[in-house]
Amino acid sequence: MILISLIAGCVQKIPAGDLTSTTKTAPPPQELVLATTTSTCDTGLLDVLNKKFEETNNVKILTVCEGTGKAIATGELGAADVVMVHAVQAELIAVANGSFINRTYMMYNYFVIIGPENDPAGIKTAKNASDALSKIAARQSQFISRGDESGTYKMEKSIWKAANITPAGTWYQSVGKGMGETIVTANIKEGYTLSDRGTYLSMKDKTDLRILFEADQTYLFNPYHVMAVNPAKFQNVKYDLAIRYINYTTSQQAQDIIRDFGRDKYGEALFTPAIINERR
Amino acid sequence: MNGAEFLYGGAVKAFELIINLDPYVMSITGVSIKVSGTATILAALTAIPLAFALSFLNFRGKQGLITLVNTGMGLPPVFVGLFIYVMLVPAGPLGFLKMILTQEAMILAQYILVTPIIAGISLAAIKAVPGPIIETVYTLGGREKDAVITTLKEAKFGIITAILAGLGRALAEVGAILIVGGNIAETGSIAGIGEGLSRTRTLTTAIVSETSKWDISTALALGIILISLNLSVNLLANFFRGRD
Amino acid sequence: MVEDLFRIENLSMSFGDKKILKNINLVIHRGEIFALMGPSGAGKTTLLRILNFFEKPAGGDLFFEGTRLSHVREINTVRQRMSLLFQTPTVFNTSVFNNVAYGLKVRKMDRTAIEKKVKDALTIVGLQGKERQKARTLSGGEAQRMAFARAIVYDPEILFLDEPTTNLDPANVAKIEEIIMQVCDEKTTTIVLATHNIPQVKRIANRVGLLLNGELIEVSSKDQIFNSPSDARASAFIKGDMVY
C-alpha cells in the first residue's frame, strides 16, 4: 500500500514536458495563448524566445500582439493563458482583482524621448523626463502621442502628471496608433514622441528622429512582466503550461536570449534581462 | 524613401514572395481564402434562400426582416468583431464553444457581415426580374417551384454578383477578424515574414500589423497579393459571364 | 355537342376606384374560337387574366367546367390545361429551345419527345433551326412568334391569346392566324382571342363578344354581330365610327 502510493507520488511529480523524449510518437502539440504588447512582437524577440520553449516542450505558442491594455483585457476575459506586458500600475490592479497570478519580472529597457535632430525644445539638457516634457510644452513643439491603451501611453501620462501639465493644444496630437506608425507620424510632423527603445531601434533606418533624452531611472524605466491568467477564474486556462512558460522566461537560457537579442542587427541589445545581471 | 519608392519596393517584394511561393505568405493567403471563402459559401447558402423567401413568401415580420437585411448591409465590422468577441471569450455567454482566436470565430464574424450583403443584392436582383416572366411560368403550366427556379435563372448574374460582392467584402475585411482572430502567426513569423505559418493571420490583418510596424514594403506586397486575388475572382466571374 | 367550358355570371372587377369590368355575363364553349373584341382599355386583358385565374373577380361568379372557381382545389393543375400568350412577348434569358421547351419540361416530358415537339413548333412559326440562338437576340416579331410556339407546343386544351399578332408583319400575321385556326380544327383547342383588330376577328373567330368600357355590349355569332348588330354602340365600333 505504501509502495503503491509512493510510486503514484513519483509519477505525479514528473512534469509532462520531460516525458516527450521517451515517447515514440509525439502527441500533437499543446497550445498556449500568449497575449502581449506590440513591442515584444514587432521587434522579433518573441520569434526567437518562444522557439526554444516550443521545441523542448512540444508546445505551439499562439501569440496575440495587441498592446498592453488590450493584452491585459484579453487575459481578464479568459481568452489567453499568459500575458507579457509593460504597465506596472495596470498589472498591479489586474493582479489585485484576481485576474492574474504569478506575476514575474522578466526584462526591462528604457523609454526614450525622440525628436528632430535639431531639438527645437532643447530637451537634451533636461534634468529628467518630466523636465523634458515641460520644455516641449513650454515651446509648444509638436508632440505626437500614442493615445491608445498601450504601456507606452500609460507611461507618457504618468510623466505629464509628474510635470503637472495637462497637455492640450494644437501642438499635442493623439494618433491612437501603434508605436511604429506613431514614430512615422512624428517624423512627418517633425515632432517629439515617447517610444520604447526596442521599437525605436528597429525603426532607426526608417526615420530621421533621434534619441534626445533617455536614461531617466525614475520615469523612463520600462519593466516587462509575465503573468498567468488565474485558473481559479477560468477553469479551462492552461495554467500548468503558463507557469512553465513563465519559469522559462526567467531561466538562464531565456535570459541569455534576451541579453543577446538585437545585437547583430541593431548593434545593441533591445532589452535587458531582469535576472541575469544579478547572477553575474 | 518617397512614396513611389515604397510602391516600387512593395511591388518587387510581392513579386519575390509570389515567385518563391514563400510558405508564410502562402499560409496567410490560404487562411484568407479559407476564412473568407467558407464565410461566403455559408452566407450564400443562407442569404439566397432568404432573398427568395422575402420575394415569394408572405409571413409575419417580413418587413422587419427586410429592414434588418438593409441595415445589416452597412454593419460596421469592428462592432461585429467586438460583439462576437465578448460573446465568445471564456468570460462571455458562448465561451464554452472555445471559439475565440480561431478561424471558426473569424468565419462566424464574416458570415454575419456578408450574409446581409448577399441577401440584399440578391433581393434586388430577384426584384429586377420582370413580373410577366414569373406570370409566363404560370401560363405555361409551371408551379411555385418552377417560378422560383426560373427566377433564380433569370437573376443568376445578379446573384453571382451578390456572392462576389460578398466575397470581395470578406477578403478585404479586417476590423472584425482582427479582433476575433487575433492575427496569430506561429513562432518564427510573429514579427512578420519568417518561417512560421499563419494561424489566424490573413492578408488584411497582416497588412494592418505590418503597417503599424511601418514595414511598408511588406504591407504593400501583401496588399498587391490581396488585390490580385480579388482581381482574379472578378476575372473568373467575367469569364463565366462571357460563356453564357 | 356544345359544352360550356367557362360560364361567367354578373362578374365585376375594379382596381381601386376604377371599375374595369361591369356585370359581365358570358359563356365560352369548348372547341370554339371566341374573339373578345374591343378598343384598348376596354378590359379585354383583365378578363383574359380572370379566365386564366391570375385575377380574382371582385364580384359575381366564374364557373369552369361547371365548378365554381372558389371550389377549384388545385388552380395550378387546372391551369396546366391552359396557355396564355401575353400581348408583349416575355423572353426567358436562355436559348430559343429552352424557351419553347419550357411547358414540356414542367410536364416532365422525356428529352427526345421534347426535341421533336420543339422542332415542330418552331417550324410552324417559321423559326426552324433557331433552337440554339439566345432568345434575347431575336427581333420583336421573332420573339412574338417564339412566344406563340411556346404557348402551343404542349397542346393546351384552352389557349388565351392577347393581341397575338402585334409586332408582326402581314405575312406573319397571316401565318399565325392560319395556325390559330389549324390548332382549333385539328386539336380541338378552345381559343379565346382578345383583339382590337376587327378584320382579324372577321377572318378567324366563330363567336364574338364586344367589350366597351368594361361592359359586354353584345355576344353573338360572327355573322350576326357584323351583319346585324343589335346595339348602336356595337354598330358604331364595327363601322369604325366609334368616338373615344
Side-chain angles (χ1 to χ4, degrees):
Chain A
M1 190 63 201
I2 293 164
L3 192 68
I4 293 169
S5 62
L6 269 177
I7 292 167
C10 284
V11 170
Q12 278 171 349
K13 274 174 194 156
I14 298 170
D18 294 350
L19 289 171
T20 48
S21 55
T22 57
T23 47
K24 283 204 176 102
T25 49
Q30 273 191 284
E31 291 182 349
L32 180 72
V33 179
L34 166 67
T36 185
T37 168
T38 45
S39 56
T40 54
C41 292
D42 291 354
T43 54
L45 172 68
L46 289 180
D47 280 321
V48 185
L49 190 67
N50 289 355
K51 189 154 207 170
K52 269 276 170 343
F53 182 76
E54 291 185 333
E55 283 166 4
T56 47
N57 290 279
N58 191 29
V59 171
K60 282 279 182 195
I61 298 179
L62 304 184
T63 308
V64 189
C65 310
E66 51 190 1
T68 286
K70 267 159 95 181
I72 290 176
T74 301
E76 280 180 326
L77 292 167
D81 301 308
V82 60
V83 301
M84 181 188 293
V85 287
H86 65 135
V88 174
Q89 288 305 321
E91 290 161 28
L92 292 177
I93 291 168
V95 169
N97 71 22
S99 296
F100 298 94
I101 53 176
N102 305 96
R103 177 170 174 266
T104 305
Y105 180 31
M106 65 174 288
M107 65 184 185
Y108 67 90
N109 62 11
Y110 287 95
F111 285 108
V112 292
I113 303 174
I114 57 177
E117 209 164 0
N118 63 355
D119 188 17
I123 65 167
K124 273 180 192 157
T125 57
K127 292 192 292 288
N128 54 38
S130 63
D131 185 34
L133 290 200
S134 301
K135 283 174 187 287
I136 293 169
R139 275 295 299 268
Q140 304 224 333
S141 300
Q142 290 286 316
F143 188 93
I144 311 301
S145 167
R146 285 281 291 274
D148 55 5
E149 281 308 302
S150 61
T152 308
Y153 181 56
K154 289 179 201 292
M155 172 58 74
E156 185 206 312
K157 280 195 292 189
S158 70
I159 303 172
W160 286 118
K161 208 173 167 191
N164 214 1
I165 293 170
T166 309
T170 51
W171 59 275
Y172 183 84
Q173 292 179 40
S174 176
V175 291
K177 299 239 172 85
M179 194 68 250
E181 276 179 282
T182 305
I183 292 174
V184 168
T185 308
N187 194 29
I188 292 167
K189 296 194 175 283
E190 296 183 358
Y192 293 89
T193 191
L194 182 72
S195 172
D196 66 284
R197 188 180 186 83
T199 306
Y200 170 71
L201 287 177
S202 70
M203 290 199 44
K204 210 170 163 185
D205 55 343
K206 293 172 193 160
T207 173
D208 302 323
L209 302 181
R210 294 287 168 262
I211 295 178
L212 298 175
F213 189 85
E214 61 181 326
D216 178 324
Q217 299 288 340
T218 319
Y219 287 112
L220 299 184
F221 181 58
N222 181 27
Y224 287 77
H225 288 79
V226 272
M227 46 194 194
V229 174
N230 191 349
K233 219 173 150 187
F234 296 103
Q235 293 163 351
N236 289 322
V237 119
K238 296 197 177 98
Y239 176 68
D240 291 345
L241 201 55
I243 287 300
R244 184 177 285 276
Y245 181 73
I246 289 172
N247 287 330
Y248 164 74
T249 61
T250 52
S251 70
Q252 182 74 48
Q253 197 178 26
Q255 296 278 305
D256 281 346
I257 291 172
I258 292 167
R259 184 195 60 205
D260 295 331
F261 180 74
R263 282 183 198 277
D264 50 348
K265 206 167 164 192
Y266 309 113
E268 56 184 300
L270 303 190
F271 301 94
T272 311
I275 292 159
I276 204 161
N277 288 346
E278 294 166 19
R279 279 195 191 130
R280 291 188 174 182
Chain B
M1 273 209 266
N2 62 34
E5 284 166 343
F6 271 133
L7 268 178
Y8 176 73
V12 169
K13 194 158 187 172
F15 187 71
E16 284 171 3
L17 292 171
I18 295 167
I19 290 293
N20 297 333
L21 295 174
D22 180 87
Y24 164 75
V25 172
M26 290 301 121
S27 75
I28 62 172
T29 309
V31 172
S32 270
I33 293 171
K34 184 183 160 196
V35 166
S36 297
T38 310
T40 306
I41 290 167
L42 294 176
L45 289 176
T46 313
I48 296 167
L50 175 67
F52 273 92
L54 291 175
S55 307
F56 280 87
L57 304 179
N58 280 311
F59 51 88
R60 265 177 71 99
K62 175 173 158 173
Q63 206 49 47
L65 207 53
I66 291 174
T67 308
L68 200 67
V69 164
N70 289 332
T71 312
M73 288 177 81
L75 272 183
V78 175
F79 171 77
V80 171
L82 269 179
F83 179 76
I84 293 173
Y85 185 87
V86 298
M87 296 302 280
L88 291 184
V89 286
L94 299 177
F96 64 91
L97 294 174
K98 297 188 182 174
M99 266 173 71
I100 195 66
L101 303 179
T102 64
Q103 293 180 3
E104 286 72 25
M106 299 159 79
I107 290 169
L108 175 65
Q110 295 205 326
Y111 169 79
I112 290 173
L113 285 169
V114 166
T115 300
I117 292 172
I118 300 181
I121 301 176
S122 298
L123 193 58
I126 292 167
K127 287 249 187 286
V129 174
I133 288 275
I134 314 291
E135 288 192 335
T136 300
V137 169
Y138 290 113
T139 67
L140 297 173
R143 292 159 191 272
E144 283 81 3
K145 170 182 64 100
D146 302 304
V148 170
I149 292 169
T150 300
T151 307
L152 184 66
K153 283 180 179 169
E154 294 290 319
K156 73 182 163 201
F157 293 134
I159 291 171
I160 289 171
T161 305
I163 296 171
L164 287 174
L167 183 60
R169 159 95 172 206
L171 282 171
E173 194 278 318
V174 62
I177 52 173
L178 186 59
I179 295 171
V180 302
N183 190 38
I184 296 168
E186 288 178 2
T187 302
S189 293
I190 294 170
I193 291 177
E195 74 244 42
L197 298 180
S198 160
R199 285 300 186 90
T200 62
R201 189 172 293 184
T202 65
L203 287 166
T204 55
T205 64
I207 289 169
V208 169
S209 56
E210 293 301 323
T211 304
S212 86
K213 283 183 352 201
W214 211 247
D215 188 343
I216 293 302
S217 58
T218 304
L220 284 174
L222 296 172
I224 289 166
I225 295 172
L226 176 63
I227 290 166
S228 315
L229 199 63
N230 249 329
L231 193 65
S232 7
V233 167
N234 281 296
L235 287 177
L236 199 67
N238 279 341
F239 171 71
F240 283 123
R241 231 170 275 188
R243 268 177 28 143
D244 185 88
Chain C
M1 190 194 105
V2 178
E3 190 190 334
D4 291 357
L5 194 58
F6 286 100
R7 199 167 80 244
I8 293 171
E9 291 177 356
N10 302 322
L11 184 142
S12 67
M13 184 71 188
S14 47
F15 293 128
D17 291 340
K18 190 169 159 47
K19 288 200 162 148
I20 307 292
L21 296 171
K22 299 163 207 163
N23 196 32
I24 306 284
N25 288 284
L26 176 66
V27 171
I28 290 167
H29 308 302
R30 191 182 292 281
E32 69 175 344
I33 299 181
F34 183 86
L36 210 47
M37 185 172 68
S40 291
K44 303 187 298 289
T45 299
T46 304
L47 191 49
L48 278 195
R49 289 173 64 86
I50 288 172
L51 291 172
N52 203 15
F53 313 138
F54 275 116
E55 313 281 356
K56 268 211 171 99
D61 282 316
L62 170 64
F63 296 88
F64 176 72
E65 292 184 331
T67 309
R68 197 187 292 263
L69 175 63
S70 55
H71 294 174
V72 175
R73 282 223 193 112
E74 251 293 348
I75 292 250
N76 280 329
T77 308
V78 178
R79 197 191 268 135
Q80 280 214 329
R81 296 165 56 191
M82 311 174 178
S83 187
L84 186 152
L85 180 65
F86 290 122
Q87 182 173 356
T88 314
T90 55
V91 173
F92 297 132
N93 188 18
T94 176
S95 65
V96 169
F97 177 88
N98 285 335
N99 264 275
V100 177
Y102 195 93
L104 301 171
K105 283 181 181 169
V106 301
R107 285 168 179 77
K108 308 260 185 284
M109 198 172 276
D110 74 80
R111 181 80 191 175
T112 38
I114 289 178
E115 277 172 14
K116 168 138 196 342
K117 285 191 90 69
V118 170
K119 197 176 176 209
D120 291 348
L122 285 175
T123 309
I124 289 174
V125 299
L127 290 174
Q128 60 274 24
K130 298 224 177 215
E131 277 94 337
R132 303 188 67 176
Q133 192 175 332
K134 285 188 78 170
R136 285 217 174 145
T137 63
L138 295 175
S139 71
E142 285 176 322
Q144 181 75 13
R145 283 186 281 149
M146 182 200 76
F148 189 86
R150 187 175 62 192
I152 61 162
V153 71
Y154 54 87
D155 303 327
E157 284 175 52
I158 305 144
L159 180 58
F160 299 105
L161 301 171
D162 194 355
E163 306 280 6
T165 55
T166 48
N167 303 321
L168 297 183
D169 57 285
N172 276 306
V173 169
K175 189 164 206 171
I176 293 292
E177 287 177 357
E178 188 190 318
I179 301 163
I180 292 171
M181 289 187 283
Q182 209 177 336
V183 163
C184 182
D185 280 354
E186 291 173 8
K187 299 185 172 162
T188 65
T189 304
T190 308
I191 291 168
V192 182
L193 168 74
T195 183
H196 66 283
N197 184 335
I198 298 166
Q200 180 166 68
V201 175
K202 281 184 177 163
R203 287 195 294 269
I204 65 177
N206 303 132
R207 286 199 312 134
V208 183
L210 176 60
L211 200 58
L212 290 177
N213 289 324
E215 282 179 76
L216 205 50
I217 303 297
E218 180 167 350
V219 182
S220 52
S221 73
K222 181 168 68 180
D223 291 344
Q224 194 179 338
I225 199 165
F226 285 113
N227 296 331
S228 52
S230 60
D231 189 287
R233 288 169 294 175
S235 172
F237 178 79
I238 288 157
K239 280 191 253 164
D241 293 344
M242 193 85 183
V243 178
Y244 301 106

